[in-house]
Amino acid sequence: MVGIVAVCAAAAVVAIVGGTVLLSRNESTASGTPVLQLEVSPDTPLAKAANLLNNGHAAAAAAIFKRSTTPEAKLGLAFAEWRGPSSLAGVKAIVAANPDDPALLLNLGWANYAAGSSADASSAWQQTASRFPDSPYAVDALNALNPGVAPGLPPIVVDFTAVSGKARADLEAGWRAWRTKHVVTARQKLDAAARLAPNVPETLVAAAVARFSPANPTAPFPLLGPLSGRFPHAAIVRLHLGEVLLWRREIAKGKEQLRLAVSAQPGSPYAKQAKLILQALR
């Protein structure tokens, strides 16, 4: 649990304070190429190459992309060899050859954006979100379309030992799906857990937070708000109210809820999470 809390706190602060080059619609990479956004493990060659590319090292990135024949690597190489709008046709050809790859469709949006076509970029991102709703690239696409919201998803922090049996299994499965940005699966599993354990704040809060979307960041509030009255001394409710407010960039209100989480149950893992975020925000 401690490890989960530390990771969530770090993710929250990066999203809210630091931001990410991949999700800034108003910035280009140091080399002037489109940003390349890939949902791959950070220790893979593709992730390393994407990081190099997005930090202006196109030649070094290209050398790595050339070692692979995957569609993502081909797209990465096209981005590394980007020469302006004239390169867009090559990117479109790669996407057309792999029409069911959400990574390519999302990044077609970034290529369109770099080429100066915001309308085509928005269209590609809207298609990504609608065609692949349970893919992490759908979240990325909605982030690109809604840059006023912090990137990614507010982390769900729960103590799985609060429930047992099938409710716990659904809670754990939903938490894992949310963490990997498979939001449709997450909502289904967390709703199931809430139905099986309807009087436990852990299941109810998790299901509420899973209503969050970059396109509708206020969706959790109609569920989370009443829970603060139903469970007035539950730090988990205040913690997640604070997180969702932070994702809406309502920093002052978010901090207030985090402080309430600390005072409600000072020794709980939820208070620990709130403290870590507050410390990092300073």
Side-chain angles (χ1 to χ4, degrees):
M1 190 64 188
V2 172
I4 292 171
V5 168
V7 168
C8 288
V13 174
V14 167
I16 293 158
V17 180
T20 167
V21 68
L22 297 179
L23 292 174
S24 176
R25 286 183 60 182
N26 298 319
E27 295 179 11
S28 60
T29 62
S31 62
T33 64
V35 292
L36 179 64
Q37 192 169 5
L38 297 176
E39 292 284 350
V40 294
S41 176
D43 58 354
T44 61
L46 274 180
K48 180 180 179 181
N51 186 56
L52 286 168
L53 177 65
N54 291 330
N55 284 283
H57 304 290
I64 298 175
F65 288 131
K66 287 177 180 178
R67 300 172 193 164
S68 174
T69 58
T70 65
E72 288 76 13
K74 291 179 180 178
L75 185 76
L77 181 59
F79 278 23
E81 295 177 343
W82 184 265
R83 296 295 181 268
S86 62
S87 300
L88 186 57
V91 172
K92 288 182 176 180
I94 297 170
V95 177
N98 302 274
D100 297 320
D101 190 327
L104 300 189
L105 187 55
L106 172 82
N107 284 288
L108 173 61
W110 290 118
N112 282 321
Y113 187 78
S117 180
S118 296
D120 288 342
S122 293
S123 177
W125 291 328
Q126 289 165 356
Q127 290 181 56
T128 305
S130 62
R131 289 183 56 200
F132 307 100
D134 203 29
S135 164
Y137 291 103
V139 176
D140 299 336
L142 291 174
N143 277 139
L145 289 165
N146 299 277
V149 178
L153 300 170
I156 294 173
V157 182
V158 292
D159 180 359
F160 300 128
T161 64
V163 292
S164 59
K166 184 64 168 63
R168 175 169 175 168
D170 284 335
L171 182 62
E172 291 181 352
W175 177 85
R176 287 192 297 269
W178 186 255
R179 188 182 179 199
T180 54
K181 298 198 287 192
H182 295 280
V183 296
V184 175
T185 298
R187 289 167 187 156
Q188 291 172 346
K189 292 295 184 180
L190 295 175
D191 283 347
R195 287 193 296 269
L196 290 168
N199 298 308
V200 180
E202 277 74 9
T203 60
L204 299 175
V205 168
V209 175
R211 290 287 171 271
F212 177 92
S213 165
N216 187 10
T218 63
F221 290 129
L223 297 176
L224 281 176
L227 291 179
S228 64
R230 184 177 173 185
F231 303 100
H233 304 297
I236 185 174
V237 179
R238 297 295 183 178
L239 165 65
H240 288 88
L241 274 169
E243 287 187 347
V244 175
L245 284 164
L246 291 178
W247 249 254
R248 282 174 45 82
R249 302 193 188 277
E250 297 186 48
I251 307 301
K253 291 181 179 179
K255 285 182 175 181
E256 180 182 355
Q257 291 298 323
L258 294 176
R259 294 188 188 103
L260 288 172
V262 173
S263 62
Q265 291 179 298
S268 70
Y270 310 119
K272 181 178 179 64
Q273 163 80 336
K275 285 179 182 178
L276 286 170
I277 297 178
L278 285 168
Q279 290 168 1
L281 286 172
R282 281 201 295 271

